[in-house]
Structure formats: C-alpha cells, structure tokens
Amino acid sequence: GLNKDDFEIKLDIDKINRCLKITDNGIGMTAEELENNLGVIAKSGSQKFKAENSDENIDIIGQFGVGFYSAFMVSKKVTVLSKSFGTSEANCWESSGAEGYTVYSAEKETAGTEITLYISDNTDEVNYDEFLDAYRISALIKKYSNYIRYPIKLEMETTVPDEENEGSYKKVSEIRTLNSMLPLWKKQKSEITEEEYNTFYKDVFYDYEAPLRVIHSKTEGNATFNALLYIPSHIPFDYYSKNFEKGLQLYSKGVLISDKCSELLPEHFNFIRGLVDSEDISLNISREMLQHDHQLKLIARTIEKKIKSELLK
C-alpha cells in the first residue's frame, strides 16, 4: 500500500549523458492521465483533477502543463515514465518540445513517476551545465521548493578528513534532503522561540542584526494567508540607492512565486521585510497578473493595517 510517510522525491544527476532525473514514489499516472495532464497545454488539467479528487491532502502544484513546459527551457527532450498505483502496466510520455509528443507503453517496477530532463547542449549565450551541478540544483530547490511537504533528496559529494591518512581528505557521497519541508510561519506561535524567528530573518533577508519586532499572523476570510513580517532594527544598506527594491516574498501554498512582490507593501512601509503565503493565489500567475490581482490588494490592505498598529504600539 501507499504510506504517506514514505513519500519522497529523488533527484539523480548523470553528467555523462547530460540527464537530470526526478523520481517520486507517489500514485503515478495512467496513459490517459499522462495524455490529459501533459498533452494539452491550454486545457487546465489540474482543475478537473481537483474536482475529481476531493481528498484535501492532494496538493495541486500549479496548473499542470504550463509549469511543466518550462522544462523545455533547459531540455532538448523530456520523458515522463509513470506507473499508476494498483495497475500492472507502465507508460512513457515523451516530447522534444514544439513538434508534439508520444505516449507508449514501457517497463517500470514500482508505482510513481520518473521525469528525465535531457539537458540542452551549451551555447555561446547559455551554459546549461549549471543544471547538472549538484550545488546549483541544491540552491534552486532551497530557493523555490524548500517548503514542498515531501523530502527532496539528492546524492552529494562532500570532502571529509581521511582518518587513515592524517592531514589528508577524501571524498564521500551522501544522500541529503535538500528542503526543510515545514515552513516556520506554518507553526504555532507558541512553538517558535525568539531565536528561531531571528535566525530565520537573518538567513532569509541577509541581515546581521536581529529585527526590532516580529509580526506573525494568520488571516482567514476573504483572503486566507499567513504573514511573517519583520521590522528591521536599521534601514537596509542600499535603501537610498536606485537599486533598492521594496517588496515581500510571495508564496502560494509554500511554493515561492515572487522574491520581491512590491504590490504587497505601500511606499511608506517599504523598509519592512518578510513574506506572505497565500492559499488563494494560483501558482502560474504572471507578473502582469500580479499587478491586478484582487486577492493581492486585499492582502496588502490587511498587512498595512497590521504594520501600522504594530508601529503605533
């Protein structure tokens, strides 16, 4: 059977064949599901999927298709090998981009999905090798997928002291979980120490000093979101330079959408640092859409009131 606690996502890098493999041990997909979810970009497969699967534990990450097709920005070919839980046959979806795709039957021992990105060859403009570098992949996961609720694992090489030969080092491989899974802001306030709040602030917003005040709130209603805001103890070093960008990090159900969403902060509170994690904002929202998004305006108004009352205190 499927046990939620055993679910994981594994990454494998094959530099020689220029492949990045992403494997999960989830429910997998049938040939028809591969076709419906990946074959049609315009049709929003995930809305239908959500309607048919009312299990609240199922996270739909983005609208299938649109986000998935970004794989072709770095790959010359993509294959998705999948075996649906409880069936004996496996199928493979394959595409080299614009000219379409094929789905054919294939062999796979266990349920789940295995995506292989055949990374593009380097050009004069772009060095695609970076997507075959374990440290670069690790950094990307930490930035965009740190709060995906399943462990994302990658085998990484580290250098450790060689106990047999004093003074020398040896390389060892270890499988590391790259993401921290549970976002600090989703925990109960009573479980979080001041030190944890401050460490998170320093790490994420690159400040060497602890903040003056932390505002941690959960709002439900017209806009449902968690906010973790910080009033810094000094102004940012680049505050008066033209490079200074105001804005809060914007997450959709734990996935980073925007690193500096300026629509969330009014000009007069542009020194505030922090983040908003919304339940209602769709993942493949574009920059243009963000500027007109009704939810965002609701969130921004609530945040402005919170900051104001905190400063008055």
Side-chain angles (χ1 to χ4, degrees):
L2 285 178
N3 180 359
K4 242 191 160 65
D5 298 337
D6 299 332
F7 284 163
E8 61 176 23
I9 298 163
K10 282 217 316 262
L11 304 177
D12 291 289
I13 296 172
D14 175 350
K15 286 189 175 175
I16 296 165
N17 297 305
R18 294 187 74 77
C19 289
L20 174 62
K21 208 175 261 187
I22 302 144
T23 311
D24 72 48
N25 55 353
I27 57 171
M29 289 179 275
T30 61
E32 191 186 1
E33 286 168 329
L34 283 168
E35 186 98 31
N36 290 342
N37 293 335
L38 303 179
V40 187
I41 308 186
K43 189 172 78 183
S44 170
S46 52
Q47 293 308 332
K48 203 169 109 200
F49 183 79
K50 203 158 193 170
E52 289 166 10
N53 296 277
S54 54
D55 178 354
E56 75 285 356
N57 286 320
I58 293 179
D59 282 346
I60 309 290
I61 298 185
Q63 309 296 345
F64 284 128
V66 181
F68 175 75
Y69 275 86
S70 63
F72 291 102
M73 290 167 69
V74 296
S75 321
K76 49 192 173 194
K77 183 172 90 171
V78 177
T79 61
V80 181
L81 172 62
S82 198
K83 183 179 184 181
S84 182
F85 181 70
T87 62
S88 55
E89 60 172 273
N91 292 279
C92 190
W93 180 96
E94 184 178 311
S95 173
S96 299
E99 60 269 21
Y101 65 93
T102 53
V103 176
Y104 50 87
S105 52
E107 293 293 312
K108 187 175 187 311
E109 280 185 19
T110 52
T113 301
E114 183 181 286
I115 301 169
T116 306
L117 305 181
Y118 293 83
I119 302 297
S120 302
D121 298 314
N122 293 334
T123 63
D124 292 343
E125 291 81 44
V126 188
N127 176 21
Y128 290 103
D129 284 357
E130 64 173 312
F131 300 107
L132 294 164
D133 173 28
Y135 285 94
R136 178 74 176 119
I137 294 293
S138 167
L140 286 168
I141 297 288
K142 278 189 169 63
K143 180 168 184 183
Y144 293 101
S145 306
N146 202 15
Y147 306 112
I148 297 281
R149 63 160 102 168
Y150 303 109
I152 301 174
K153 298 176 176 179
L154 172 64
E155 190 172 324
M156 294 189 77
E157 263 193 3
T158 44
T159 311
V160 296
D162 187 343
E163 282 150 23
E164 287 161 26
N165 303 310
E166 211 173 304
S168 67
Y169 290 84
K170 61 178 180 182
K171 282 189 171 171
V172 291
S173 283
E174 56 176 17
I175 292 182
R176 283 197 214 165
T177 296
L178 305 177
N179 55 330
S180 64
M181 289 177 282
L182 181 66
L184 183 69
W185 60 90
K186 286 272 178 80
K187 292 181 180 173
Q188 295 297 323
K189 279 191 213 177
S190 54
E191 294 172 13
I192 308 172
T193 63
E194 187 184 356
E195 195 186 349
E196 280 181 293
Y197 277 127
N198 292 351
T199 305
F200 180 85
Y201 169 73
K202 289 177 182 171
D203 288 352
V204 176
F205 302 105
Y206 308 120
D207 197 346
Y208 54 91
E209 247 181 286
L212 281 182
R213 189 62 78 89
V214 180
I215 309 169
H216 182 187
S217 67
K218 185 176 173 66
T219 306
E220 286 176 348
N222 294 337
T224 298
F225 65 96
N226 286 298
L228 181 52
L229 308 172
Y230 291 94
I231 302 175
S233 46
H234 57 102
I235 58 172
F237 72 95
D238 58 349
Y239 191 68
Y240 293 113
S241 81
K242 59 178 186 292
N243 301 332
F244 178 75
E245 281 181 89
K246 70 167 177 142
L248 301 174
Q249 287 188 337
L250 175 64
Y251 289 83
S252 165
K253 300 189 181 92
V255 179
L256 181 66
I257 291 186
S258 168
D259 211 21
K260 287 262 172 80
C261 183
S262 59
E263 291 77 22
L264 287 169
L265 279 180
E267 209 53 57
H268 49 276
F269 289 152
N270 62 3
F271 52 86
I272 298 286
R273 314 303 295 268
L275 59 92
V276 165
D277 187 358
S278 161
E279 296 291 317
D280 313 303
I281 286 170
S282 116
L283 250 181
N284 54 352
I285 194 163
S286 66
R287 291 213 155 207
E288 295 68 51
M289 292 263 308
L290 276 175
Q291 286 161 0
H292 312 295
D293 193 75
H294 172 63
Q295 283 296 330
L296 227 50
K297 294 194 170 79
L298 282 176
I299 296 172
R301 280 205 292 275
T302 311
I303 281 177
E304 182 173 12
K305 285 187 196 129
K306 279 191 198 316
I307 297 170
K308 187 179 173 186
S309 74
E310 210 50 53
L311 286 169
L312 286 169
K313 273 185 209 167

Short mmCIF file of all heavy atoms in Angstrom, two decimals, residues 117-151:
data_model
loop_
_atom_site.label_atom_id
_atom_site.label_comp_id
_atom_site.label_asym_id
_atom_site.label_seq_id
_atom_site.Cartn_x
_atom_site.Cartn_y
_atom_site.Cartn_z
N LEU A 117 15.01 14.86 -17.66
CA LEU A 117 15.30 16.03 -18.49
C LEU A 117 16.63 15.79 -19.19
O LEU A 117 17.64 15.59 -18.53
CB LEU A 117 15.41 17.29 -17.62
CG LEU A 117 14.23 17.64 -16.69
CD1 LEU A 117 14.53 18.94 -15.94
CD2 LEU A 117 12.93 17.76 -17.46
N TYR A 118 16.59 15.77 -20.52
CA TYR A 118 17.83 15.66 -21.29
C TYR A 118 18.31 17.10 -21.51
O TYR A 118 17.80 17.81 -22.37
CB TYR A 118 17.57 14.94 -22.61
CG TYR A 118 17.19 13.48 -22.39
CD1 TYR A 118 15.89 13.11 -22.08
CD2 TYR A 118 18.17 12.48 -22.47
CE1 TYR A 118 15.54 11.78 -21.85
CE2 TYR A 118 17.84 11.14 -22.25
CZ TYR A 118 16.52 10.81 -21.93
OH TYR A 118 16.20 9.47 -21.70
N ILE A 119 19.26 17.51 -20.67
CA ILE A 119 19.67 18.92 -20.62
C ILE A 119 20.30 19.37 -21.94
O ILE A 119 21.11 18.66 -22.54
CB ILE A 119 20.66 19.15 -19.45
CG1 ILE A 119 20.01 18.73 -18.11
CG2 ILE A 119 21.13 20.60 -19.40
CD1 ILE A 119 18.80 19.54 -17.69
N SER A 120 19.90 20.58 -22.39
CA SER A 120 20.39 21.12 -23.66
C SER A 120 21.90 21.25 -23.67
O SER A 120 22.53 21.39 -22.62
CB SER A 120 19.78 22.51 -23.90
OG SER A 120 18.38 22.43 -23.91
N ASP A 121 22.47 21.24 -24.87
CA ASP A 121 23.92 21.45 -25.01
C ASP A 121 24.21 22.94 -24.83
O ASP A 121 23.38 23.79 -25.15
CB ASP A 121 24.38 20.98 -26.40
CG ASP A 121 24.12 19.49 -26.58
OD1 ASP A 121 24.45 18.71 -25.64
OD2 ASP A 121 23.57 19.08 -27.62
N ASN A 122 25.41 23.21 -24.32
CA ASN A 122 25.78 24.61 -24.10
C ASN A 122 25.80 25.39 -25.41
O ASN A 122 26.11 24.84 -26.47
CB ASN A 122 27.18 24.69 -23.47
CG ASN A 122 27.18 24.13 -22.07
OD1 ASN A 122 26.15 24.13 -21.40
ND2 ASN A 122 28.32 23.64 -21.62
N THR A 123 25.45 26.67 -25.32
CA THR A 123 25.59 27.55 -26.49
C THR A 123 26.53 28.68 -26.08
O THR A 123 26.95 28.74 -24.92
CB THR A 123 24.23 28.17 -26.87
OG1 THR A 123 23.78 28.99 -25.77
CG2 THR A 123 23.17 27.10 -27.14
N ASP A 124 26.79 29.58 -27.00
CA ASP A 124 27.65 30.72 -26.66
C ASP A 124 27.01 31.59 -25.59
O ASP A 124 27.66 32.18 -24.76
CB ASP A 124 27.92 31.58 -27.91
CG ASP A 124 28.79 30.82 -28.92
OD1 ASP A 124 29.41 29.82 -28.51
OD2 ASP A 124 28.81 31.21 -30.10
N GLU A 125 25.66 31.66 -25.64
CA GLU A 125 24.96 32.52 -24.70
C GLU A 125 24.69 31.85 -23.34
O GLU A 125 24.76 32.48 -22.31
CB GLU A 125 23.60 32.97 -25.25
CG GLU A 125 23.66 33.94 -26.43
CD GLU A 125 23.92 33.25 -27.76
OE1 GLU A 125 23.29 32.20 -28.00
OE2 GLU A 125 24.78 33.74 -28.52
N VAL A 126 24.34 30.56 -23.41
CA VAL A 126 23.88 29.90 -22.17
C VAL A 126 24.71 28.68 -21.83
O VAL A 126 24.97 27.82 -22.69
CB VAL A 126 22.39 29.46 -22.29
CG1 VAL A 126 21.87 28.97 -20.94
CG2 VAL A 126 21.52 30.59 -22.82
N ASN A 127 25.13 28.61 -20.56
CA ASN A 127 25.86 27.45 -20.09
C ASN A 127 24.88 26.54 -19.34
O ASN A 127 24.60 26.73 -18.17
CB ASN A 127 26.99 27.90 -19.16
CG ASN A 127 27.73 26.72 -18.57
OD1 ASN A 127 27.67 25.62 -19.12
ND2 ASN A 127 28.41 26.95 -17.47
N TYR A 128 24.34 25.53 -20.06
CA TYR A 128 23.33 24.66 -19.46
C TYR A 128 23.94 23.66 -18.47
O TYR A 128 23.21 22.99 -17.76
CB TYR A 128 22.55 23.91 -20.55
CG TYR A 128 21.64 24.82 -21.34
CD1 TYR A 128 21.98 25.24 -22.62
CD2 TYR A 128 20.44 25.27 -20.80
CE1 TYR A 128 21.15 26.08 -23.34
CE2 TYR A 128 19.60 26.11 -21.51
CZ TYR A 128 19.96 26.51 -22.77
OH TYR A 128 19.13 27.34 -23.47
N ASP A 129 25.27 23.59 -18.41
CA ASP A 129 25.93 22.68 -17.48
C ASP A 129 25.50 22.93 -16.04
O ASP A 129 25.55 22.04 -15.20
CB ASP A 129 27.46 22.86 -17.53
CG ASP A 129 28.05 22.21 -18.78
OD1 ASP A 129 27.28 21.60 -19.54
OD2 ASP A 129 29.27 22.33 -18.98
N GLU A 130 25.07 24.19 -15.76
CA GLU A 130 24.73 24.50 -14.37
C GLU A 130 23.59 23.62 -13.87
O GLU A 130 23.46 23.39 -12.68
CB GLU A 130 24.40 25.99 -14.19
CG GLU A 130 23.19 26.46 -14.94
CD GLU A 130 22.83 27.90 -14.59
OE1 GLU A 130 22.77 28.21 -13.39
OE2 GLU A 130 22.59 28.70 -15.52
N PHE A 131 22.76 23.11 -14.79
CA PHE A 131 21.63 22.27 -14.35
C PHE A 131 22.05 20.82 -14.16
O PHE A 131 21.22 19.95 -13.91
CB PHE A 131 20.46 22.41 -15.33
CG PHE A 131 19.98 23.83 -15.41
CD1 PHE A 131 20.23 24.61 -16.52
CD2 PHE A 131 19.33 24.41 -14.33
CE1 PHE A 131 19.82 25.93 -16.57
CE2 PHE A 131 18.92 25.74 -14.37
CZ PHE A 131 19.16 26.50 -15.49
N LEU A 132 23.36 20.58 -14.26
CA LEU A 132 23.90 19.25 -13.97
C LEU A 132 24.86 19.34 -12.78
O LEU A 132 25.60 18.41 -12.49
CB LEU A 132 24.63 18.70 -15.20
CG LEU A 132 23.73 18.42 -16.42
CD1 LEU A 132 24.56 18.26 -17.68
CD2 LEU A 132 22.87 17.18 -16.19
N ASP A 133 24.83 20.49 -12.13
CA ASP A 133 25.74 20.71 -10.99
C ASP A 133 24.95 20.56 -9.70
O ASP A 133 23.98 21.28 -9.45
CB ASP A 133 26.32 22.12 -11.11
CG ASP A 133 27.13 22.50 -9.87
OD1 ASP A 133 27.67 21.59 -9.22
OD2 ASP A 133 27.20 23.70 -9.55
N ALA A 134 25.36 19.62 -8.86
CA ALA A 134 24.62 19.29 -7.64
C ALA A 134 24.41 20.52 -6.75
O ALA A 134 23.33 20.70 -6.18
CB ALA A 134 25.34 18.20 -6.86
N TYR A 135 25.42 21.38 -6.64
CA TYR A 135 25.27 22.53 -5.74
C TYR A 135 24.29 23.56 -6.29
O TYR A 135 23.54 24.19 -5.56
CB TYR A 135 26.65 23.16 -5.46
CG TYR A 135 27.41 22.29 -4.49
CD1 TYR A 135 28.31 21.33 -4.95
CD2 TYR A 135 27.17 22.37 -3.12
CE1 TYR A 135 28.96 20.48 -4.07
CE2 TYR A 135 27.82 21.53 -2.22
CZ TYR A 135 28.71 20.59 -2.71
OH TYR A 135 29.35 19.75 -1.82
N ARG A 136 24.29 23.72 -7.63
CA ARG A 136 23.34 24.65 -8.25
C ARG A 136 21.92 24.12 -8.10
O ARG A 136 20.99 24.86 -7.75
CB ARG A 136 23.70 24.80 -9.74
CG ARG A 136 22.76 25.70 -10.51
CD ARG A 136 22.97 27.16 -10.18
NE ARG A 136 22.13 28.01 -11.01
CZ ARG A 136 21.20 28.83 -10.55
NH1 ARG A 136 21.00 28.90 -9.25
NH2 ARG A 136 20.49 29.58 -11.35
N ILE A 137 21.72 22.83 -8.32
CA ILE A 137 20.40 22.21 -8.18
C ILE A 137 19.93 22.34 -6.73
O ILE A 137 18.79 22.71 -6.47
CB ILE A 137 20.45 20.71 -8.59
CG1 ILE A 137 20.75 20.56 -10.08
CG2 ILE A 137 19.15 20.00 -8.23
CD1 ILE A 137 19.67 21.05 -11.01
N SER A 138 20.84 22.08 -5.81
CA SER A 138 20.51 22.19 -4.39
C SER A 138 20.05 23.61 -4.05
O SER A 138 19.07 23.81 -3.35
CB SER A 138 21.75 21.81 -3.57
OG SER A 138 21.58 22.16 -2.25
N ALA A 139 20.75 24.60 -4.60
CA ALA A 139 20.39 26.01 -4.32
C ALA A 139 19.02 26.35 -4.91
O ALA A 139 18.22 27.05 -4.28
CB ALA A 139 21.47 26.93 -4.91
N LEU A 140 18.74 25.82 -6.11
CA LEU A 140 17.44 26.09 -6.74
C LEU A 140 16.30 25.47 -5.93
O LEU A 140 15.25 26.08 -5.75
CB LEU A 140 17.41 25.53 -8.17
CG LEU A 140 18.21 26.32 -9.21
CD1 LEU A 140 18.34 25.52 -10.51
CD2 LEU A 140 17.56 27.66 -9.49
N ILE A 141 16.53 24.25 -5.44
CA ILE A 141 15.50 23.57 -4.64
C ILE A 141 15.24 24.37 -3.36
O ILE A 141 14.11 24.61 -2.97
CB ILE A 141 15.93 22.13 -4.27
CG1 ILE A 141 16.08 21.26 -5.53
CG2 ILE A 141 14.95 21.49 -3.28
CD1 ILE A 141 14.80 20.88 -6.22
N LYS A 142 16.33 24.78 -2.71
CA LYS A 142 16.19 25.53 -1.46
C LYS A 142 15.43 26.82 -1.69
O LYS A 142 14.66 27.28 -0.85
CB LYS A 142 17.56 25.84 -0.86
CG LYS A 142 18.13 24.67 -0.07
CD LYS A 142 19.37 25.09 0.69
CE LYS A 142 19.81 24.04 1.69
NZ LYS A 142 20.18 22.76 1.08
N LYS A 143 15.66 27.44 -2.85
CA LYS A 143 15.01 28.72 -3.11
C LYS A 143 13.52 28.55 -3.44
O LYS A 143 12.67 29.23 -2.89
CB LYS A 143 15.71 29.45 -4.26
CG LYS A 143 15.06 30.79 -4.55
CD LYS A 143 15.88 31.67 -5.47
CE LYS A 143 15.19 33.03 -5.63
NZ LYS A 143 15.88 33.89 -6.57
N TYR A 144 13.22 27.61 -4.34
CA TYR A 144 11.84 27.54 -4.84
C TYR A 144 10.99 26.44 -4.22
O TYR A 144 9.78 26.52 -4.21
CB TYR A 144 11.84 27.37 -6.36
CG TYR A 144 12.38 28.57 -7.07
CD1 TYR A 144 13.68 28.59 -7.56
CD2 TYR A 144 11.60 29.71 -7.21
CE1 TYR A 144 14.19 29.72 -8.19
CE2 TYR A 144 12.10 30.84 -7.83
CZ TYR A 144 13.39 30.84 -8.32
OH TYR A 144 13.88 31.96 -8.92
N SER A 145 11.63 25.39 -3.74
CA SER A 145 10.84 24.23 -3.28
C SER A 145 11.16 23.83 -1.85
O SER A 145 10.97 22.69 -1.47
CB SER A 145 11.10 23.04 -4.22
OG SER A 145 10.86 23.41 -5.55
N ASN A 146 11.66 24.79 -1.07
CA ASN A 146 12.09 24.47 0.29
C ASN A 146 10.93 23.96 1.14
O ASN A 146 11.13 23.20 2.08
CB ASN A 146 12.71 25.70 0.94
CG ASN A 146 13.64 25.33 2.08
OD1 ASN A 146 14.04 24.17 2.21
ND2 ASN A 146 13.97 26.28 2.90
N TYR A 147 9.71 24.38 0.81
CA TYR A 147 8.58 24.03 1.68
C TYR A 147 7.61 23.05 1.04
O TYR A 147 6.49 22.92 1.47
CB TYR A 147 7.87 25.31 2.15
CG TYR A 147 8.85 26.25 2.79
CD1 TYR A 147 9.19 27.46 2.21
CD2 TYR A 147 9.51 25.89 3.97
CE1 TYR A 147 10.13 28.30 2.79
CE2 TYR A 147 10.44 26.72 4.55
CZ TYR A 147 10.76 27.92 3.96
OH TYR A 147 11.70 28.74 4.52
N ILE A 148 8.05 22.37 -0.01
CA ILE A 148 7.27 21.25 -0.54
C ILE A 148 7.20 20.24 0.61
O ILE A 148 8.19 20.01 1.30
CB ILE A 148 7.98 20.61 -1.75
CG1 ILE A 148 8.11 21.62 -2.89
CG2 ILE A 148 7.29 19.34 -2.20
CD1 ILE A 148 6.90 21.83 -3.71
N ARG A 149 6.04 19.61 0.81
CA ARG A 149 5.89 18.85 2.06
C ARG A 149 6.48 17.44 2.02
O ARG A 149 6.32 16.69 2.97
CB ARG A 149 4.44 18.81 2.48
CG ARG A 149 3.53 18.11 1.51
CD ARG A 149 2.28 17.70 2.23
NE ARG A 149 1.19 18.61 1.93
CZ ARG A 149 -0.07 18.35 2.24
NH1 ARG A 149 -0.37 17.24 2.87
NH2 ARG A 149 -1.02 19.18 1.92
N TYR A 150 7.12 17.05 0.94
CA TYR A 150 7.80 15.75 0.89
C TYR A 150 9.29 15.98 0.76
O TYR A 150 9.72 16.97 0.17
CB TYR A 150 7.29 14.92 -0.31
CG TYR A 150 5.80 14.74 -0.26
CD1 TYR A 150 4.97 15.39 -1.16
CD2 TYR A 150 5.21 13.97 0.74
CE1 TYR A 150 3.59 15.26 -1.08
CE2 TYR A 150 3.84 13.83 0.84
CZ TYR A 150 3.03 14.48 -0.08
OH TYR A 150 1.67 14.36 0.03
N PRO A 151 10.12 15.07 1.31
CA PRO A 151 11.57 15.28 1.21
C PRO A 151 12.06 15.17 -0.23
O PRO A 151 11.65 14.28 -0.97
CB PRO A 151 12.15 14.14 2.07
CG PRO A 151 11.07 13.14 2.21
CD PRO A 151 9.78 13.86 2.08
#
